[in-house]
Amino acid sequence: MATVTNGEKFDNIIEIKNVTKVFDGITAVDNVSLAVRRGEFVTLLGPSGCGKTTLLRMIAGFELPTSGSIFLEKQDVTTVPPHLRPINTVFQKYALFPHLNVFKNIAFGLKLKKIPTGELDKNGKPIFRKFGKDEIAEKVERVLKLVNLEAYGYRGITGLSGGQQQRVAIARAIVCEPKVLLLDEPLGALDLKMRKEMQSELAAMHKNIGITFIYVTHDQEEALTMSDKVVVMTDGAVQQYGTPKKIYDEPANAFVADFIGESNILSGVMKSDFCVEFCGTKFKCMDKGFGKDENVDLVVRPEDIAVDTKKGALKGEVVSAVFKGTYYEMEILANDYQFTVQNTSEYLPGTAVYLSVEPDGIHIMKKLKTVNEFDGKVLSENTLEICGGEFEFENSLGLERGDEVTVKIPFDKIDLTDDENDGYVGANVTQTLYKGSYYQVQVYTDDDHDFFIDTEDEWDIGDRVGIKIAPRDMTVIRKSDEPEKVGEASDTQEDANATEADNV
């Protein structure tokens, strides 16, 4: 197997720089920059359709980026075909040969591989040879032992369990000693018990082999259990990149907080350094550096909320209680917010209780934005086009047909309708976050534009909706009238992204 020296283990074996992939006008991966160190176990985590598998396929060479570059050991491999990259992939469907036994499945790649002899022919070209039978047998036996299948070499594939077939697929991938192993949801076909067992085995296998693993999953438990680093993705973009503990304890934004573990996500106001107000109550916290009275998002994990029947910061009432084995999970309504609370003591529904949170149990996050902003074009005296739809607007600036404009709409000034034909444009609900007295919903239009909406109504992911906006709620600015932007802003951001990737 490949070994990692002390001098190499902190090198970046893979660097992804400003990679974008567009399919038929839809952006699957959006300007992603990452650096993966040699020997790390890195997991790409996110919901279905977030771009994680597309990113993995570009690393493997099965897809070419629309823009950006991919480097392997400082060499640009963006356009290098898969078979010339020292990378192997394990797929969710193992793609084993049913007519070959375990040994022959694993040996298949070795029989095709050509090894340079170090000599040149009469024309000055390198001379290659193939592995001999003894070499192949030695290598196959070694990986069979590594994946705990020593006694299965001459078994048929169809007689193996799902977990055993998965190990054969991994053995076939690592026997050729790749520098990077890519795993695309390889546990997806296994039952829950087998998945948990294989999580531990994969983590142990990674330590024994010593090569770089890049793993794709939508299962947060898999990511947190096995990984050295986790890349959380949504909408084709990286939301956060860090250790499992860092991502759980200090989520970068509301999406990460909601996606990783159980969370209570609220809107609040930073009254001063180390003081935040939410649910009508001021709490001490560990965060500083925010503006006075700045609106923020915050997360409180269920296990960080203390429950008492006599005193506390918030008075509430238990709505439900479910025993989860080592703790009770309760829903407690306090100041119009339904908190999820985990406690070793049970409080029955209807019980009046008080809730408290220690300062280190509150994590403050900047709001990414509160206003939707789109490019548009004036169609007539009082209509304009944005996101593939025609909207009415108040033309207070005397805009004329054909003028290019910027349109701004606050999150709470957009209405969603059950029937898309009742709206100006149709869209699909892709994300919904409960934030106390309202839900924050993200929807995608058919032409790949996303809206964020603050609404009192609960919507399910996948719902088809219509979007309505009152003319008075749109701020429309002629592009030529906008303040000139600093020309180097985008370059500065790219440099910042690259620096962050290098420092992770």
Side-chain angles (χ1 to χ4, degrees):
M1 290 298 102
T3 58
V4 179
T5 67
N6 289 335
E8 291 179 326
K9 67 180 180 180
F10 297 114
D11 293 345
N12 290 336
I13 189 169
I14 292 177
E15 294 182 22
I16 300 167
K17 296 186 178 181
N18 306 109
V19 165
T20 294
K21 180 63 178 180
V22 180
F23 294 103
D24 299 325
I26 305 298
T27 302
V29 174
D30 189 4
N31 195 33
V32 167
S33 293
L34 287 174
V36 178
R37 287 178 178 163
R38 191 184 305 273
E40 280 189 326
F41 193 131
V42 174
T43 296
L44 306 181
L45 174 68
S48 297
C50 73
K52 55 189 185 293
T53 293
T54 300
L55 182 58
L56 192 83
R57 288 176 61 82
M58 288 190 287
I59 296 171
F62 300 132
E63 299 284 354
L64 294 179
T66 304
S67 62
S69 302
I70 298 174
F71 294 84
L72 178 65
E73 295 185 317
K74 310 300 182 184
Q75 299 297 313
D76 190 340
V77 296
T78 309
T79 59
V80 173
H83 68 280
L84 296 180
R85 303 186 188 196
I87 295 174
N88 274 350
T89 305
V90 178
F91 300 97
Q92 183 173 356
K93 295 181 178 179
Y94 310 133
L96 300 173
F97 301 114
H99 63 288
L100 300 179
N101 61 26
V102 170
F103 184 98
K104 291 180 179 178
N105 262 279
I106 297 173
F108 186 82
L110 290 174
K111 292 179 179 179
L112 299 178
K113 188 172 183 179
K114 295 180 179 179
I115 312 101
T117 62
E119 300 176 354
L120 302 176
D121 63 16
K122 60 182 180 181
N123 296 318
K125 294 182 179 180
I127 297 175
F128 294 87
R129 70 174 184 88
K130 290 190 174 182
F131 286 118
K133 287 186 178 181
D134 291 342
E135 289 177 295
I136 291 174
E138 188 272 330
K139 289 179 179 294
V140 173
E141 292 297 335
R142 189 169 63 200
V143 296
L144 280 170
K145 185 176 182 181
L146 189 64
V147 298
N148 295 319
L149 291 176
E150 300 100 309
Y152 290 78
Y154 295 98
R155 290 274 192 97
I157 290 297
T158 56
L160 300 180
S161 68
Q164 290 168 337
Q165 290 186 28
Q166 193 254 11
R167 293 181 206 173
V168 174
I170 292 174
R172 186 177 62 180
I174 63 177
V175 74
C176 292
E177 301 183 2
K179 293 182 178 179
V180 179
L181 182 64
L182 308 180
L183 302 104
D184 188 6
E185 303 205 46
L187 308 185
L190 305 180
D191 60 46
L192 180 60
K193 183 178 180 181
M194 182 62 72
R195 284 175 73 103
K196 290 184 178 295
E197 291 177 359
M198 287 307 303
Q199 288 171 17
S200 299
E201 290 196 25
L202 268 178
M205 203 179 297
H206 168 255
K207 291 180 180 178
N208 291 334
I209 298 170
I211 64 175
T212 305
F213 277 26
I214 300 181
Y215 187 96
V216 163
T217 186
H218 61 272
D219 188 316
Q220 56 176 282
E221 182 180 342
E222 283 183 8
L224 298 178
T225 300
M226 298 187 295
S227 313
D228 298 317
K229 298 280 180 60
V230 178
V231 182
V232 184
M233 297 183 65
T234 189
D235 301 334
V238 174
Q239 302 298 311
Q240 191 170 0
Y241 183 20
T243 64
K245 180 173 175 55
K246 178 80 171 179
I247 286 175
Y248 185 85
D249 291 341
E250 301 179 35
N253 53 48
F255 170 81
V256 177
D258 181 65
F259 195 76
I260 303 292
E262 295 280 350
S263 303
N264 297 287
I265 302 172
L266 305 96
S267 291
V269 177
M270 285 298 292
K271 306 306 293 183
S272 63
D273 285 348
F274 312 114
C275 180
V276 63
E277 182 178 58
F278 61 92
C279 290
T281 305
K282 293 181 180 178
F283 289 82
K284 292 181 180 179
C285 63
M286 305 292 287
D287 299 270
K288 64 178 181 177
F290 294 84
K292 181 176 174 57
D293 293 328
E294 179 179 345
N295 291 321
V296 294
D297 286 328
L298 60 101
V299 59
V300 181
R301 297 291 185 184
E303 64 271 21
D304 290 330
I305 301 175
V307 185
D308 195 285
T309 56
K310 297 180 180 179
K311 62 179 181 178
L314 295 174
K315 185 177 181 180
E317 181 178 315
V318 179
V319 176
S320 65
V322 178
F323 182 57
K324 293 278 187 150
T326 57
Y327 61 87
Y328 292 90
E329 184 166 285
M330 295 170 284
E331 298 296 321
I332 299 176
L333 185 64
N335 286 29
D336 296 324
Y337 185 92
Q338 189 162 302
F339 288 86
T340 299
V341 179
Q342 294 172 356
N343 200 288
T344 54
S345 299
E346 180 184 18
Y347 296 84
L348 296 175
T351 304
V353 295
Y354 292 89
L355 306 181
S356 300
V357 187
E358 292 296 321
D360 60 358
I362 301 172
H363 176 64
I364 310 298
M365 304 169 291
K366 279 188 173 292
K367 284 186 177 291
L368 295 182
K369 59 179 182 176
T370 57
V371 176
N372 296 284
E373 184 173 321
F374 305 103
D375 293 331
K377 181 178 289 187
V378 175
L379 301 177
S380 69
E381 183 179 354
N382 63 351
T383 62
L384 56 79
E385 184 273 330
I386 56 170
C387 306
E390 184 175 335
F391 294 78
E392 295 181 357
F393 77 107
E394 294 183 350
N395 193 353
S396 59
L397 299 178
L399 298 169
E400 299 179 353
R401 180 178 179 178
D403 281 347
E404 294 186 349
V405 294
T406 297
V407 182
K408 299 181 180 181
I409 313 109
F411 289 4
D412 59 354
K413 299 298 183 181
I414 300 175
D415 291 326
L416 297 180
T417 65
D418 286 313
D419 186 347
E420 67 174 298
N421 294 319
D422 291 338
Y424 294 108
V425 66
N428 292 306
V429 175
T430 57
Q431 179 183 323
T432 179
L433 293 176
Y434 175 61
K435 301 186 76 173
S437 58
Y438 67 94
Y439 293 87
Q440 187 171 98
V441 179
Q442 182 182 10
V443 302
Y444 257 94
T445 65
D446 295 334
D447 59 352
D448 199 30
H449 289 92
D450 61 319
F451 284 79
F452 288 88
I453 300 100
D454 290 345
T455 174
E456 295 181 357
D457 300 320
E458 183 177 4
W459 297 88
D460 294 327
I461 293 175
D463 282 349
R464 185 71 180 175
V465 296
I467 295 173
K468 294 179 68 174
I469 306 168
R472 65 179 180 277
D473 292 330
M474 288 193 285
T475 300
V476 183
I477 305 169
R478 185 187 287 110
K479 281 194 169 292
S480 59
D481 293 340
E482 288 186 276
E484 186 174 349
K485 296 179 180 178
V486 179
E488 286 144 10
S490 60
D491 294 334
T492 302
Q493 184 60 48
E494 289 182 7
D495 291 342
N497 290 342
T499 301
E500 180 181 1
D502 289 340
N503 289 336
V504 171

